[in-house]
Amino acid sequence: MRKIRSLTTLGAAVVLLAVGFILAERYFLDLGSINQKIISLGVDDQDQVRKWWKEAVIYEIYPASFKDSDGDGIGDVPGIISKLDYLHDLGVDVIHICPHYQSPQVDMGYDISDYEDVHRPYGTVEDVQALIHATHTCGMKIIFDLVINHSSDQHKWFEESRSSKDNPKRDWYFWRPARWDAEGKRHPPNNWRSHFTAPAWTWDEKTEEYYLHIYAPEMPDFNWENEETRKGLYNSSMIFWLERGIDGFRIDTVNKYSKDIKFPDAPIVEPWEETQPASEFYNNGPRIHEYLGEMKEILDRYGALTVGELSHFPFSEEGVLQFASAGSGQLNMVFNYALMALGQTRERGQHSRSPFNAPVFKKEMSRWQTFASDTDAWVTLFLENHDAPRSISRFGSDGSAEEQMRSGKMIAMLLATMTGTLFLYQGQELGLANAPRSWPVEEFKDVRSVNMARKAKEKCKHDSTCLKKEIDELWETARDHARLPMQWNSGPNAGFTDEGVTPWMRVNNDWKTKNAELQSGNSLSLLGFWKRMLRLRKEYKDLFVYGVYQSYATEAAELFVFTKVGSGKKSLTVVNMSGEEKRWEGASSILGEGCRILIENIGGGAQREEVLSAWEGRVYSTVL
């Protein structure tokens, strides 16, 4: 028989001692101090501090691709309002709106030209106010994207800043003189590389200086060292919308505001390139927690929810605690981009991506489940967002329709039975997958994809093999996959926009067989399964949201097995993250006799207890 080994165990004496300490805390510590810092000893889920946002299901909406209400081929705010009942019926508690602000759309709204206005194809400030009201009327909350590392170069602040060297807002952005070599050739102030284009500096002819941009040249970075800049940002980007009733923010690039303002050259790790990766100099700078502390004072006045994007961050437990500790951090939680990077990025010196594999995935997921139990910080649960390919294509199957649905249900079981705040991305509940590889690269619109395609064509001018390899790499990592229009029905344009209208991005090929209308009337569909899982998560929140996690190793590396314990109950989740049948010892070896299947994605699991079919998953439960 295959052995299943417990990875985390507690001796009986340790358990009794831990319970004693917990009881002592309950009697001798005031409630406020307990709420400030709870250290779970892995004994009882009741020691987790209960918060509404820990139990919430948060649904991310990409406005341009969600629902077009006026027939211009671009999604809009009234379109979102028209689908609020759908989201409420799904089990959503909070909607997260990606940037809707006025913008030239160089980076799909992450280049903001006015924080207090709305991108006209999306609607008006009045439309957004109506969305806030309608969301609250439906019993849900709403959070916005907070994008304050940079602005658009068309923002009035930057236009003033670049108008002259003595303009009062000159110091609101980073300006530096050129470096000149012995031959009199002009060079940027340092060798930093941006994320979207090669140099992180752009020359301004009018004032004859360079300005810094960690992203595109049209997205200059704010100088957070300037107190007036920070005050301007707080008033325009945060208070303006908090006063209008929103419930919080997803905070973009939250660890980039403080930089090394000496602007040293980055180490040369790619000698064949003129610019070098430099994230160590513009991430997690010396004043970052001071700045976030200022923001927290404002956010706390409104009781605002905060979830931070720690981009290009070394995801150590200690590092995350600095941002998300309940006692000393400034954020409620952060996204785990170490998990999202699996199979997507190249390490320094690598010429290709490290392939995704289940053991690494399980290890990373388990690390943060344990972190939630062992610290006073909270974690996020998500496998999709607007910056990554679709989860079914990455962690499940891109094969037949049946395999896609089965693996989608497997992913739903995995996420819904873990500790943390659950985030869904639009269309994830329908099993939307990546665009077909047969599509020409010209279908992709993202600034990153466009730049990568251009660079690939320059690099591989007369080498078709080279070009195919580069385009394959782009296709595997493109953000565009998540930005294809939402598939509402089997009609023209998948119901995203009117018949005869060309949508801003092409609809995926499978819209006629994979859409919300088709799945809504089918309890066996992936949408129906997500509804069941979210109801189950709420019904058993003491177990799934707050319960103590324990993982188990198996001989089959593709099996992910873990238990949750809470409120006198114990659950067991087992999923097969592969397209092949796998054997295991069975639930009774962990839960004992008398356990029952709570939910499964393939019927008849009780009759084939020790066998898991391809992409099969089961959740068992028992009373302790």
Side-chain angles (χ1 to χ4, degrees):
M1 298 291 285
R2 288 168 170 75
K3 299 215 179 204
I4 299 179
R5 304 180 300 277
S6 170
L7 298 181
T8 53
T9 58
L10 286 173
V14 175
V15 172
L16 291 173
L17 181 61
V19 171
F21 280 135
I22 291 168
L23 291 174
E25 280 191 324
R26 288 177 177 166
Y27 281 101
F28 297 109
L29 296 181
D30 64 81
L31 184 60
S33 64
I34 293 176
N35 286 341
Q36 282 297 308
K37 185 170 181 65
I38 297 290
I39 300 178
S40 171
L41 297 176
V43 178
D44 190 342
D45 66 288
Q46 298 303 317
D47 294 303
Q48 293 281 2
V49 177
R50 305 301 174 104
K51 298 286 186 182
W52 69 265
W53 45 265
K54 292 183 177 181
E55 303 164 14
V57 174
I58 303 180
Y59 187 98
E60 180 182 355
I61 293 174
Y62 201 68
S65 299
F66 192 65
K67 181 68 175 91
D68 173 23
S69 71
D70 59 7
D72 65 355
I74 302 171
D76 48 46
V77 174
I80 298 172
I81 294 174
S82 73
K83 296 298 183 180
L84 289 178
D85 286 343
Y86 165 85
L87 298 175
H88 185 267
D89 185 55
L90 172 60
V92 170
D93 302 296
V94 183
I95 60 173
H96 158 216
I97 310 298
C98 286
H100 61 280
Y101 314 101
Q102 190 177 98
S103 165
Q105 299 291 306
V106 170
D107 186 24
M108 289 304 298
Y110 283 89
D111 51 316
I112 297 169
S113 55
D114 190 341
Y115 290 98
E116 300 175 22
D117 204 352
V118 176
H119 182 50
R120 280 295 169 264
Y122 295 167
T124 64
V125 172
E126 290 72 27
D127 288 329
V128 175
Q129 191 69 63
L131 172 62
I132 296 169
H133 176 73
T135 303
H136 289 158
T137 299
C138 285
M140 298 185 292
K141 297 181 185 293
I142 182 170
I143 64 175
F144 286 173
D145 239 283
L146 184 60
V147 187
I148 48 180
N149 173 71
H150 48 264
S151 73
S152 165
D153 62 351
Q154 295 183 32
H155 196 293
K156 61 184 179 181
W157 295 342
F158 186 73
E159 290 177 342
E160 289 184 50
S161 183
R162 79 188 312 176
S163 65
S164 68
K165 290 183 179 179
D166 58 0
N167 185 277
K169 286 191 172 59
R170 181 67 172 183
D171 197 40
W172 282 43
Y173 298 83
F174 289 111
W175 294 92
R176 293 296 184 272
R179 291 194 297 188
W180 300 89
D181 62 24
E183 298 176 356
K185 184 179 179 181
R186 187 186 75 232
H187 296 277
N190 62 29
N191 66 353
W192 292 6
R193 181 182 304 166
S194 79
H195 293 294
F196 294 158
T197 54
W201 299 88
T202 289
W203 177 253
D204 181 66
E205 290 286 352
K206 183 173 182 179
T207 57
E208 296 188 323
E209 283 191 330
Y210 284 92
Y211 65 85
L212 177 70
H213 53 88
I214 298 304
Y215 293 94
E218 298 87 354
M219 301 162 67
D221 280 40
F222 283 114
N223 176 12
W224 278 67
E225 299 284 328
N226 186 327
E227 184 178 0
E228 291 302 312
T229 308
R230 303 199 303 273
K231 289 180 179 178
L233 279 170
Y234 301 157
N235 285 323
S236 189
S237 67
M238 294 166 54
I239 295 173
F240 180 86
W241 292 106
L242 288 167
E243 283 290 323
R244 281 156 179 75
I246 69 166
D247 301 291
F249 293 102
R250 174 264 187 193
I251 307 179
D252 188 60
T253 60
V254 73
N255 54 321
K256 282 185 165 62
Y257 309 150
S258 176
K259 300 172 173 65
D260 186 339
I261 59 173
K262 296 177 183 177
F263 297 111
D265 275 336
I268 297 175
V269 295
E270 298 177 3
W272 59 90
E273 296 283 355
E274 184 176 352
T275 60
Q276 301 296 315
S279 61
E280 62 201 90
F281 299 108
Y282 56 73
N283 283 336
N284 316 309
R287 300 184 67 185
I288 187 63
H289 294 288
E290 174 191 344
Y291 300 154
L292 295 182
E294 290 180 353
M295 292 170 59
K296 188 176 188 298
E297 290 181 7
I298 297 170
L299 294 161
D300 284 353
R301 292 205 302 264
Y302 294 88
L305 169 66
T306 55
V307 54
E309 178 198 30
L310 292 180
S311 59
H312 301 89
F313 184 78
F315 261 84
S316 67
E317 288 84 345
E318 296 77 12
V320 170
L321 273 174
Q322 293 178 29
F323 288 88
S325 164
S328 59
Q330 297 87 29
L331 305 170
N332 294 136
M333 51 190 158
V334 298
F335 287 119
N336 180 4
Y337 279 93
L339 178 67
M340 291 301 288
L342 296 179
Q344 290 287 297
T345 59
R346 303 181 190 184
E347 299 300 325
R348 286 187 179 180
Q350 285 185 324
H351 295 289
S352 61
R353 293 173 296 105
S354 298
F356 167 77
N357 67 77
V360 175
F361 177 87
K362 293 189 296 182
K363 182 179 180 181
E364 189 64 25
M365 292 289 278
S366 295
R367 177 160 74 116
W368 296 103
Q369 290 294 290
T370 302
F371 173 80
S373 293
D374 291 349
T375 72
D376 69 341
W378 196 243
V379 295
T380 53
L381 295 169
F382 78 112
L383 291 179
E384 285 194 31
N385 66 16
H386 64 283
D387 277 338
R390 290 290 189 172
S391 62
I392 276 189
S393 299
R394 292 183 61 194
F395 309 113
S397 172
D398 246 345
S400 67
E402 173 61 29
E403 288 175 328
Q404 288 191 36
M405 181 172 68
R406 190 181 292 185
S407 65
K409 291 179 178 181
M410 177 272 293
I411 290 171
M413 277 187 282
L414 191 64
L415 289 176
T417 57
M418 282 190 168
T419 296
T421 299
L422 179 55
F423 288 77
L424 293 178
Y425 179 73
Q426 64 182 48
Q428 183 177 353
E429 75 279 11
L430 304 176
L432 299 193
N434 285 353
R437 180 62 187 87
S438 59
W439 282 15
V441 72
E442 287 74 21
E443 294 288 353
F444 288 171
K445 312 297 184 186
D446 176 36
V447 60
R448 174 183 177 273
S449 298
V450 170
N451 286 333
M452 286 181 69
R454 175 184 50 77
K455 188 174 181 180
K457 291 173 182 177
E458 292 173 355
K459 175 183 177 181
C460 310
K461 287 181 180 178
H462 307 293
D463 187 341
S464 59
T465 302
C466 167
L467 182 60
K468 182 181 183 303
K469 180 180 178 182
E470 292 292 322
I471 297 303
D472 283 346
E473 184 83 3
L474 163 59
W475 186 87
E476 289 284 352
T477 61
R479 304 190 300 181
D480 304 77
H481 296 299
R483 303 178 182 189
L484 304 186
M486 183 72 169
Q487 297 171 196
W488 291 108
N489 59 44
S490 304
N493 289 319
F496 163 70
T497 189
D498 297 342
E499 183 176 3
V501 174
T502 301
W504 80 277
M505 278 199 81
R506 180 176 172 179
V507 176
N508 209 333
N509 293 0
D510 60 2
W511 91 90
K512 288 187 178 180
T513 58
K514 187 186 291 183
N515 60 70
E517 184 178 73
L518 198 64
Q519 294 191 35
S520 292
N522 182 1
S523 61
L524 299 178
S525 68
L526 180 54
L527 175 61
F529 192 83
W530 265 110
K531 290 179 181 179
R532 289 172 61 198
M533 284 307 311
L534 296 183
R535 286 197 298 269
L536 204 65
R537 180 174 174 82
K538 288 179 168 62
E539 180 182 352
Y540 290 85
K541 68 180 180 181
D542 290 346
L543 189 59
F544 297 138
V545 178
Y546 296 108
V548 176
Y549 173 90
Q550 180 176 330
S551 63
Y552 294 80
T554 63
E555 289 186 15
E558 297 83 3
L559 292 185
F560 197 168
V561 181
F562 62 86
T563 58
K564 300 294 291 295
V565 177
S567 294
K569 297 184 179 69
K570 187 173 185 177
S571 69
L572 168 67
T573 300
V574 53
V575 299
N576 179 7
M577 299 187 70
S578 79
E580 299 177 353
E581 180 181 286
K582 300 294 178 183
R583 297 190 65 83
W584 72 309
E585 186 137 30
S588 59
S589 65
I590 298 174
L591 297 184
E593 299 297 332
C595 62
R596 65 187 181 95
I597 294 178
L598 198 58
I599 192 167
E600 57 186 331
N601 66 346
I602 301 176
Q607 282 70 52
R608 40 189 176 77
E609 170 68 18
E610 297 179 8
V611 177
L612 285 166
S613 301
W615 309 112
E616 183 174 1
R618 303 174 198 151
V619 180
Y620 297 82
S621 70
T622 191
V623 176
L624 296 177

